[in-house]
Amino acid sequence: MNTILTNMQQRDAEALLHPYTNAVDLRENGAHIIASGKGVRVFDDAGKSYIEGMAGLWCCGLGFSDPELIDAAKEQMDKLPYYHLFGGRSHEPAMELAEMIKEKAPGNMARVIYQSSGSEANDTQIKLVWYYNNAIGRPEKKKIISRIKGYHGVTIVSGSLTGLPYNHRDFDLPVDRILHTTTPHHWKEGKPGESEAEFVARLATDLEALIEREGPETVAAFIAEPVMGAGGVIVPPEGYFAAIEPILSRYDILLIDDEVITGFGRTGNWFGAETLGMNPTSVSMAKQLTGGYAPLSAVAINREVAEAIEANTGKIGTFGHGFTYGGHPLGCAVGIKALQIYETRNIVGHVRDVSPALHRLLRKAEEHPLVGEARMCGLMGCLELAPEGRNGFEAPGKVGAYLSAELLKRGSIMRALGDIIAVCPPMIITEDELEELFAPMEAALDATLNWAKEEGHLS
């Protein structure tokens, strides 16, 4: 245990409140300070190199220090470092990026509105749904259905949509109008002997029962990630969206597609909706929209919703929503360049080429006695740790944190989501770099297994 903090760690502890961090532990052990990055690697303040197996926070799809993205940012800063989209003003980077988004996004998307983060995008989604239903004379149709273990952000409403306990505990969340239905995770949620097809049918039945119980006239939208990211890289069974979409259509419920993690090539298609067979009404995107190089998010909405909203602004006199930095010219310029790079370097094709190597490495790790299940989709995946014959540990989160620390000591950054170890590397990663990322996995798993036995986490 490190009780002597460096000067940098002391400064950090006195200056910052860190997200998703135990501040008491941090004050004792100190922050891990990253000083630079290049390609798929980052380097800490002591000069040690790590393969960044999480692309930062699922976002640096083109790796670190890409010169084309940096040049795009510099050029825009020289030309127009800031402007806004309020009151009818505009600038060309916002228009051009919106046109590119409309071309690539799933569904018939007609308009784009910008924010700075994925949380703000999903918060905006809900405001737009409420505004839309008021505009077309359905003031009671306001409830939103999310899913247990879904992750949609941390603002008051997006944090309510998120279906994870620590995002609600002591924040007085979720707020009213937000509902949650079953996680589409067959391995964890399936009944004994229940096939995946039977599981999907049950989830569809449960969803319809929830809608009927709440009153279809009160339910406005269903929000879903194609692949659930921070909730544990949960890939829904085949046919899941095909089973639930007719139910949503029957009750005139909008389908919000949260592509904050899965957008722009991550699953082997431009958007996860294409991979998982989703047909959304609207789409949220962020993270890889700029390759993580500038804060920017976007919501794309279809023509029906857009026209109703625009008509209502004529009745009211304005559209009372927006963010100072929504559509920031710097973020838009970097976003334009990122989407151009995804196209010109055939990043989607590269993801398809290297994904089998990631899947092979995850399946190999799944053979370890500490691992209950490996999950994967495109260039993202996870290992769920679970003792044999049991679904989890009596003290959740400790074993996952230990394994993550063991991997970090050996130069591989992966993220512990409780007792799930997630991997989501930059999409430029090569097969050799994937092998290097996973090279310490067996030794780290062995060390964690021995520790877990010694600490009484395993019988």
Side-chain angles (χ1 to χ4, degrees):
M1 182 178 293
N2 177 21
T3 55
I4 302 175
L5 303 187
T6 67
N7 178 61
M8 192 85 79
Q9 288 173 324
Q10 289 174 340
R11 287 174 57 200
D12 175 271
E14 292 300 325
L16 296 175
L17 181 62
H18 286 260
Y20 289 89
T21 301
N22 183 323
V24 176
D25 286 350
L26 186 75
R27 183 166 287 276
E28 183 176 345
N29 298 310
H32 184 206
I33 297 165
I34 302 300
S36 63
K38 183 72 174 177
V40 300
R41 301 175 194 276
V42 294
F43 304 86
D44 66 19
D45 59 338
K48 184 175 179 179
S49 171
Y50 305 84
I51 291 192
E52 227 304 355
M54 281 303 297
L57 280 177
W58 322 81
C59 55
C60 286
L62 296 170
F64 300 86
S65 302
D66 186 285
E68 288 192 59
L69 292 178
I70 293 168
D71 287 346
K74 289 178 178 177
E75 183 179 337
Q76 186 59 48
M77 287 293 282
D78 284 338
K79 185 176 182 180
L80 181 67
Y82 170 75
Y83 214 68
H84 61 84
L85 303 179
F86 281 47
R89 288 183 172 80
S90 195
H91 52 79
E92 190 170 6
M95 300 175 216
E96 184 175 350
L97 181 58
E99 290 166 348
M100 296 171 78
I101 288 170
K102 285 172 58 180
E103 180 186 348
K104 295 296 185 185
N108 180 29
M109 298 301 142
R111 298 289 184 274
V112 172
I113 182 169
Y114 293 111
Q115 308 80 32
S116 299
S117 70
S119 294
E120 290 174 354
N122 286 326
D123 210 273
T124 292
Q125 287 273 22
I126 306 313
K127 288 186 73 176
L128 293 180
V129 168
W130 290 344
Y131 191 93
Y132 165 73
N133 276 318
N134 286 332
I136 63 172
R138 301 192 303 199
E140 300 303 316
K141 201 169 177 66
K142 299 294 173 59
K143 295 174 184 174
I144 314 294
I145 299 176
S146 183
R147 299 177 297 178
I148 298 167
K149 294 189 180 177
Y151 188 90
H152 301 290
V154 295
T155 60
I156 290 174
V157 171
S158 69
S160 296
L161 297 171
T162 292
L164 297 168
Y166 280 112
N167 293 98
H168 295 168
R169 185 174 176 181
D170 287 350
F171 290 112
D172 292 349
L173 299 179
V175 294
D176 191 31
R177 296 180 173 182
I178 307 299
L179 312 169
H180 291 87
T181 192
T182 311
T183 310
H185 186 189
H186 180 256
W187 180 74
K188 197 90 164 181
E189 303 293 338
K191 295 179 179 178
E194 187 177 45
S195 69
E196 286 197 355
E198 291 167 337
F199 176 64
V200 167
R202 176 164 62 85
L203 263 56
T205 299
D206 289 349
L207 175 61
E208 186 158 23
L210 174 61
I211 294 167
E212 290 283 2
R213 191 164 57 247
E214 294 292 330
E217 73 284 357
T218 72
V219 180
F222 180 92
I223 185 169
E225 306 154 274
V227 176
M228 299 170 82
V233 193
I234 297 166
V235 185
E238 185 177 350
Y240 171 74
F241 287 107
I244 67 170
E245 284 186 19
I247 297 168
L248 302 177
S249 179
R250 187 178 310 135
Y251 296 109
D252 202 5
I253 295 170
L254 305 179
L255 175 55
I256 301 169
D257 175 17
D258 182 349
E259 297 269 4
V260 169
I261 286 176
T262 53
F264 305 102
R266 177 59 63 185
T267 66
N269 287 293
W270 271 92
F271 285 88
E274 301 167 68
T275 306
L276 276 297
M278 261 178 109
N279 298 287
T281 311
S282 59
V283 186
S284 297
M285 58 202 81
K287 294 189 184 292
Q288 293 186 159
L289 176 58
T290 65
Y293 281 48
L296 185 71
S297 64
V299 168
I301 55 178
N302 73 8
R303 186 163 301 280
E304 178 184 347
V305 173
E307 289 180 351
I309 288 173
E310 288 177 345
N312 204 51
T313 69
K315 296 176 186 176
I316 295 174
T318 190
F319 179 61
H321 177 73
F323 298 92
T324 301
Y325 298 113
H328 194 292
L330 174 64
C332 290
V334 175
I336 291 165
K337 180 55 66 175
L339 268 63
Q340 289 172 346
I341 290 172
Y342 295 145
E343 190 83 63
T344 58
R345 298 185 196 170
N346 190 21
I347 295 297
V348 170
H350 180 72
V351 168
R352 291 177 181 174
D353 289 342
V354 301
S355 290
L358 173 63
H359 299 180
R360 172 177 52 80
L361 291 162
L362 286 165
R363 290 191 183 103
K364 180 181 178 183
E366 189 180 25
E367 297 172 2
H368 195 277
L370 193 60
V371 179
E373 185 186 43
R375 298 188 288 275
M376 60 216 68
C377 181
L379 206 52
M380 60 190 298
C382 75
L383 301 172
E384 180 147 357
L385 310 180
E388 271 188 63
R390 291 164 56 187
N391 282 334
F393 301 96
E394 291 183 8
K398 293 186 177 181
V399 179
Y402 193 91
L403 175 56
S404 178
E406 286 294 313
L407 289 166
L408 185 69
K409 286 195 300 188
R410 294 166 169 83
S412 292
I413 294 178
M414 300 187 199
R415 186 180 179 192
L417 305 169
D419 290 313
I420 297 166
I421 301 299
V423 57
C424 181
M427 296 188 297
I428 60 170
I429 200 166
T430 65
E431 290 192 24
D432 286 345
E433 289 166 337
L434 281 168
E435 293 282 355
E436 186 179 348
L437 175 65
F438 274 79
M441 181 61 76
E442 185 173 1
L445 281 166
D446 286 344
T448 303
L449 179 62
N450 292 334
W451 171 85
K453 288 178 178 177
E454 290 172 3
E455 294 294 315
H457 297 297
L458 289 168
S459 56

